[in-house]
Amino acid sequence: MKALVIGGSGLVGGHLVRALAAAGWETAATQRTPPRASPATHRAIALDLLDPASVQALPGQVAGVSHVFFLARTLQKGYRIERESNVRVLEAVLDVLQDLPSLRHVQLVHGLKWYGSTAGPFPVPARESDPVPGAAHFYYDQHALVRERAQGRPWHWSTLRPHCVSGVATHSPSNVMLGMAVYAQLMKEQGLPLAFPGSQAAFDARLTYTSADLLARAMLWAAADPAARDEDFNVANGDVFSWSQVWPAVAAAFGMEAAPPRPQALRDTMPPLAVLWSRVVQRDALVPNALPALVDWNFMDATLALAWEQTMSLEKLRRHGFGETVDTPAMILEIIQAYRRLRILPAP
C-alpha cells in the first residue's frame, strides 16, 4: 500500500495523510512549494500541477505507488473554480501515472455540487443515482476522464462526495468552521452579540456536513475494499442539523449572547478587521497568522448563500459496507476547542 496524495497540504489532504499513517501506509503527499522538511507521517514532495516539467518528473519520485488520491483544486481570485484548468491538471497527472505497473486505484473527492447544490434547491436527499443536472461542472469532466482512462487498465477508481468538510487545518482558508470561529471571535472583541452572518433561510436550512476525519477513513475504505471499486459514494456524518439549532451552543462556547441573523457580505465586512485580529494575536500570544491566511471570506459568503436544504442519502455507502457516524453539533464544538489548543484561537 503506497499512497500518493495529490494536494496533501489542505484540509482534506492533511487528515487523509494522518489516516494513512495510522493505517500503516507508505505515503507521499504533494504541495506546490518545496517543503522545508518532510513530516514524520509522510514524504512531502514539490509538485506544481500547472508546470508540465514538474508533472513529468512525478513518476520518478513515487516509484511503486499503488493508490492515487487526487484532491487538488486550481482556484481563481474570489473563490472561482475554473472548469477547464481543473480537468487539465487531472489529465496531466493521469498521463504520467496511468500506466505504472504498480497502480491499483485512483480516487477523486468531489462534493454536493455534483447535484447542483449551489444553483438552487435540488432533489433531497441527494442520491448517487440522481440525474446529472444540465449545467457544466469540472466534476463531471473529471469523473468521465477517470472512467475512460481506467478502461483496459488493471486499476480501479472511486469517487466520494462529502459536503462542507469540517476539521482542523492551519493552511486551508476554505474552511467553514475556522471561518465561523474567527468571525465569532472578532464579534466578541467588538462587544457585539453573535449574529449568524447569513440569511434567516440559510440559518434554518437542513444540512448534512462531513467530518474530515470521517471522510479520511471513508477514503481509505473506498480505496481498499473491493466492494467500493468503480463506485461513487456520498459521505456525511449521518445526522441532519441546522445552524439555528447549534447557534446558542456556538455562542456559549465564546461566552457570547446568540443573536438573530444579520446578513452581510463577509468579504466586505471582515477584511477591515485585520488590524483588530493582529491585536488579538499579539495580546493572547497566538500563532502569528494574518487574517487572510486563516479565512477566505469569499468562500464563507458562497457557503452561507445556500439558503435551502442540503442533505444527502447515505444508503449506498451503508449498503456497501461503511457505517461510521459523527455527531455534528459535538464536532463543531470540538473543532473550536482544537483551534484553541493549537493557539490559533484565544482561550474563552
Side-chain angles (χ1 to χ4, degrees):
M1 297 290 201
K2 293 187 177 182
L4 171 63
V5 182
I6 306 288
S9 59
L11 172 60
V12 176
H15 284 78
L16 175 61
V17 164
R18 289 190 290 274
L20 288 163
W25 290 51
E26 182 180 335
T27 307
T30 71
Q31 57 192 67
R32 178 171 294 183
T33 56
R36 296 176 183 175
S38 294
T41 55
H42 67 284
R43 180 167 59 90
I45 59 178
L47 174 68
D48 184 350
L49 288 170
L50 300 176
D51 178 3
S54 180
V55 177
Q56 287 293 323
L58 186 58
Q61 302 179 74
V62 293
V65 64
S66 60
H67 292 70
V68 174
F69 299 86
F70 190 89
L71 309 177
R73 297 284 186 271
T74 64
L75 296 174
Q76 308 299 319
K77 187 176 181 180
Y79 195 68
R80 291 186 301 107
I81 304 177
E82 188 180 73
R83 175 188 172 194
E84 292 182 2
S85 62
N86 277 285
V87 178
R88 190 164 59 248
V89 292
L90 175 59
E91 187 174 32
V93 168
L94 290 175
D95 283 345
V96 299
L97 298 181
Q98 65 188 13
D99 291 317
L100 293 179
S102 57
L103 187 61
R104 293 162 55 185
H105 200 96
V106 174
Q107 187 178 101
L108 306 178
V109 174
H110 289 150
L112 207 61
K113 294 187 188 74
W114 179 279
Y115 305 104
S117 64
T118 58
F122 58 101
V124 291
R127 298 178 183 274
E128 295 88 344
S129 57
D130 289 348
V132 173
H137 197 283
F138 78 87
Y139 285 174
Y140 312 140
D141 299 293
Q142 286 190 339
H143 190 280
L145 180 62
V146 167
R147 292 187 63 174
E148 175 189 337
R149 296 297 182 91
Q151 294 296 316
R153 293 187 169 92
W155 50 268
H156 296 274
W157 57 269
S158 60
T159 77
L160 283 77
R161 299 172 187 165
H163 182 52
C164 282
V165 179
S166 303
V168 178
T170 55
H171 301 288
S172 181
S174 301
N175 184 337
V176 67
M177 293 305 165
L178 182 55
M180 281 295 196
V182 170
Y183 163 77
Q185 188 67 43
L186 288 170
M187 296 303 100
K188 181 178 182 178
E189 296 296 329
Q190 298 174 88
L192 298 172
L194 186 58
F196 182 75
S199 68
Q200 183 69 51
F203 196 45
D204 293 332
R206 289 161 48 86
L207 311 172
T208 47
Y209 272 26
T210 307
S211 158
D213 286 324
L214 180 140
L215 174 60
R217 293 191 293 272
M219 292 170 71
L220 265 66
W221 165 80
D225 194 315
R229 288 175 179 169
D230 308 327
E231 296 284 354
D232 310 297
F233 296 101
N234 294 337
V235 181
N237 288 350
D239 58 2
V240 175
F241 83 107
S242 67
W243 280 109
S244 61
Q245 291 174 327
V246 302
W247 204 244
V250 173
F254 286 87
M256 300 173 70
E257 176 187 348
R262 185 171 71 87
Q264 56 187 289
L266 295 172
R267 64 182 177 275
D268 297 328
T269 59
M270 293 297 105
L273 300 178
V275 174
L276 174 59
W277 180 258
S278 296
R279 289 203 293 266
V280 173
V281 169
Q282 185 173 17
R283 181 196 69 202
D284 292 272
L286 303 182
V287 176
N289 289 302
L291 192 58
L294 288 178
V295 185
D296 182 340
W297 299 112
N298 287 287
F299 165 80
M300 292 297 296
D301 284 339
T303 300
L304 299 179
L306 307 182
W308 45 83
E309 182 173 342
Q310 303 150 56
T311 60
M312 61 176 73
S313 168
L314 302 179
E315 184 276 331
K316 181 179 179 181
L317 183 71
R318 304 292 187 242
R319 175 162 41 88
H320 281 73
F322 187 86
E324 294 191 38
T325 62
V326 168
D327 181 283
T328 300
M331 177 199 74
I332 293 170
L333 298 179
E334 171 53 31
I335 289 172
I336 292 170
Q337 293 303 322
Y339 278 119
R340 286 171 174 158
R341 290 192 294 270
L342 291 171
R343 307 301 300 157
I344 304 299
L345 296 173

